[in-house]
Amino acid sequence: MADAKTIGAVKGMNDIRPAAAETFLDTAVWQRIFETATRVLESYGFRLVWLPVVEETALFARGIGEDTDIVGKEMYSFADRGGRSLTLRPEGTAGAVRAYIEHGLARNEPIQRWWYFGPMFRAESPQKGRYRQFYQIGAEMLGVAEPGADAELLAMLWRFCSELGLKDISLRVNSVGDAETRKAYRDVLRGYFAGHLDSLCEACKGRLDKNPLRLLDCKRPGCRNVVEQAPDILSTMTPGARAHFDRVLELLTATQVPFVRDARLVRGLDYYTGTTFEITTSALGSQDAILGGGRYDALVEELGGPATPAVGFAAGVERLALLLSSAGVPTVAPDLYIVPMAGAEALAFSLADALRDSRKLRVEVGVAGHKLKSQMRRADRVGARFALVLGDEELANRRGKLKNLKDASTVEVTLTGEALLAQLTGMHT
Ligand code: AMP
């Protein structure tokens, strides 16, 4: 707890660190997620982008929509020194589209597969699975209108979740149709909800006029009951939008990705057109969405670029980490912990460097002069596989004992980089 003298982290913002007591904040678990994402997403041709965390506020207001919870209530916005309104990004798509337009890709190289891993900021009330600084892994597939792109993205996400070993998850898919579909559907919904005003919460009553689709998302029990009987968007879907959606579902079936159609899945950002999806889990209580996304065919144009179709997703890294356990996740531990007694530092450093030159081994050197016992204790605590003590005798004879910290067995080695490397890499395999 912070007292008068110490300053704590900002509420809802976490420190991800090695060997954290809460598994989901443990660096090793995060690295496993990052590595799995890199492998799977890159195997589909996605390439990493690192984009600014701060953008002009207008980008999100225009991109995500003024009436959404994110823009209306949750943004960390501030005036910079020049009086411009800037915002800590609440999501990654608007910034990715901004960069895509700014670098002329929409005109010159329209098909892009981008992915990212980074922090997002939303001033939501913190609870398990919901934070104010949280991380997302996301991808944007720009420049392709065909339903194959949607299906391929979903197949990739299913593979990503399987390779992480996630269980009890389900993929829910819907379509919010094209502009004509949504216009007709909004009218149908307004008519339907008008007959059930008494059961709706105040927030939904307020949204009914401007954005009736958002009512489908409300979690309050009164609204849920009404929503369950609401007309399906398929009833107003144009033939073109329907054909796209049907083809996505057909391709998912053909590639054996299990899914359920969820007629209520509209998602909380205004830029979606056509396919929308979420993967949810039964293991996280109310914050059950681990990832979501969909098509946003109008966003590039809305942000000033040429009309460009696109589809993307974002996954919450904390939620993924909450579903994983640190069991079986390899930590970044030294292969060798060198324990130098007073005066043995130079030898310790040169042996450590020779091993690092191999690019195969991790070596940590203890603090020369600290007691043998305390250095050995630290070697254990950091999870080192082997320890090597360098005292007067070892310095004099240039021979030492390599101790296996797992089973306490020892083996004699000559103290040269080559001999140590041969010994350690030999024992690796
Ligand atoms: P969204 O950008 O709202 O579509 O969210 C995509 C994913 O990001 C969600 O499925 C969650 O896994 C994650 N997410 C969204 N908001 C938060 C938050 N406040 N804290 C942690 N994860 C979040």
Side-chain angles (χ1 to χ4, degrees):
M1 275 298 278
D3 61 27
K5 291 208 191 80
T6 60
I7 297 173
V10 175
K11 191 174 163 203
M13 304 197 179
N14 297 312
D15 298 315
I16 293 98
R17 55 204 195 278
E22 309 93 322
T23 301
F24 85 99
L25 298 177
D26 185 352
T27 311
V29 174
W30 281 58
Q31 278 182 299
R32 165 133 185 262
I33 296 170
F34 183 75
E35 279 156 18
T36 308
T38 306
R39 188 178 62 249
V40 174
L41 273 56
E42 292 188 351
S43 79
Y44 281 79
F46 285 83
R47 297 194 290 187
L48 197 52
V49 290
W50 300 98
L51 302 173
V53 167
V54 176
E55 298 275 1
E56 291 203 25
T57 303
L59 176 71
F60 303 114
R62 257 165 79 186
I64 302 171
E66 303 263 13
D67 302 328
T68 58
D69 283 353
I70 296 181
V71 172
K73 299 194 277 196
E74 297 167 359
M75 294 212 298
Y76 282 100
S77 300
F78 58 96
D80 79 349
R81 282 159 215 271
R84 250 179 330 181
S85 179
L86 303 182
T87 293
L88 298 182
R89 64 179 180 193
E91 56 92 61
T93 301
V97 169
R98 195 249 334 121
Y100 175 80
I101 298 169
E102 193 163 336
H103 300 291
L105 297 167
R107 288 184 206 289
N108 301 326
E109 199 60 59
I111 298 185
Q112 294 287 333
R113 292 180 172 218
W114 283 2
W115 80 280
Y116 58 85
F117 186 113
M120 306 295 160
F121 302 84
R122 293 183 198 172
E124 298 191 86
S125 56
Q127 54 175 278
K128 184 180 172 197
R130 193 157 84 189
Y131 308 99
R132 290 181 166 174
Q133 173 170 338
F134 61 99
Y135 286 71
Q136 286 186 337
I137 296 170
E140 317 293 352
M141 199 192 284
L142 292 136
V144 186
E146 282 68 18
D150 315 32
E152 194 190 10
L153 191 75
L154 288 167
M156 175 177 84
L157 291 173
W158 198 254
R159 176 186 289 271
F160 174 57
C161 291
S162 315
E163 292 201 12
L164 279 174
L166 302 187
K167 306 219 166 55
D168 306 319
I169 54 170
S170 83
L171 167 62
R172 300 183 302 125
V173 187
N174 194 24
S175 168
V176 294
D178 51 16
E180 197 185 322
T181 303
R182 281 191 303 284
K183 186 169 179 298
Y185 191 46
R186 275 191 209 107
D187 289 342
V188 168
L189 283 181
R190 276 189 205 104
Y192 169 75
F193 286 121
H196 296 86
L197 280 182
D198 291 349
S199 317
L200 298 180
C201 71
E202 288 310 308
C204 281
K205 281 184 197 154
R207 281 187 202 126
L208 184 54
D209 204 38
K210 262 197 189 147
N211 203 347
L213 262 80
R214 293 293 316 285
L215 271 66
L216 300 179
D217 232 9
C218 186
K219 302 280 184 307
R220 290 200 181 76
C223 300
R224 280 242 70 86
N225 289 336
V226 181
V227 163
E228 260 156 42
Q229 307 301 320
D232 192 317
I233 193 166
L234 293 181
S235 63
T236 60
M237 204 169 278
T238 59
R242 180 64 194 258
H244 182 103
F245 186 43
D246 285 346
R247 183 67 184 145
V248 173
L249 302 187
E250 242 172 65
L251 285 167
L252 285 178
T253 308
T255 45
Q256 299 188 333
V257 175
F259 68 90
V260 287
R261 155 123 206 281
D262 180 349
R264 315 289 164 230
L265 183 67
V266 290
R267 310 203 14 86
L269 299 83
D270 277 356
Y271 51 59
Y272 289 111
T273 58
T275 314
T276 54
F277 57 83
E278 258 177 21
I279 292 185
T280 50
T281 168
S282 51
L284 284 184
S286 61
Q287 303 308 315
D288 64 349
I290 52 181
L291 65 83
R295 219 168 230 291
Y296 50 95
D297 288 344
L299 186 59
V300 178
E301 199 172 11
E302 269 161 28
L303 292 177
T308 307
V311 57
F313 84 92
V317 179
E318 287 80 359
R319 293 189 196 173
L320 290 169
L322 277 162
L323 295 174
L324 299 177
S325 105
S326 53
V329 177
T331 50
V332 180
D335 299 292
L336 176 66
Y337 197 98
I338 302 183
V339 178
M341 297 292 94
E345 265 161 320
L347 178 62
F349 288 158
S350 79
L351 290 174
D353 269 346
L355 294 172
R356 291 178 191 128
D357 285 344
S358 75
R359 312 264 166 106
K360 288 188 199 138
L361 296 173
R362 288 187 283 253
V363 185
E364 183 172 330
V365 177
V367 183
H370 277 189
K371 288 208 176 74
L372 176 67
K373 216 167 150 187
S374 84
Q375 291 201 53
M376 290 302 284
R377 213 177 311 126
R378 181 168 159 82
D380 255 335
R381 268 210 308 268
V382 297
R385 294 167 55 234
F386 293 92
L388 174 70
V389 177
L390 299 181
D392 292 343
E393 218 180 298
E394 287 81 8
L395 272 178
N397 302 333
R398 297 286 152 152
R399 289 188 69 75
K401 279 199 185 100
L402 204 50
K403 180 171 181 190
N404 182 328
L405 294 178
K406 305 279 161 334
D407 63 13
S409 62
T410 57
V411 54
E412 276 238 354
V413 280
T414 309
L415 293 181
T416 63
E418 279 140 58
L420 267 174
L421 181 63
Q423 193 61 252
L424 285 163
T425 49
M427 286 190 276
H428 245 314
T429 50

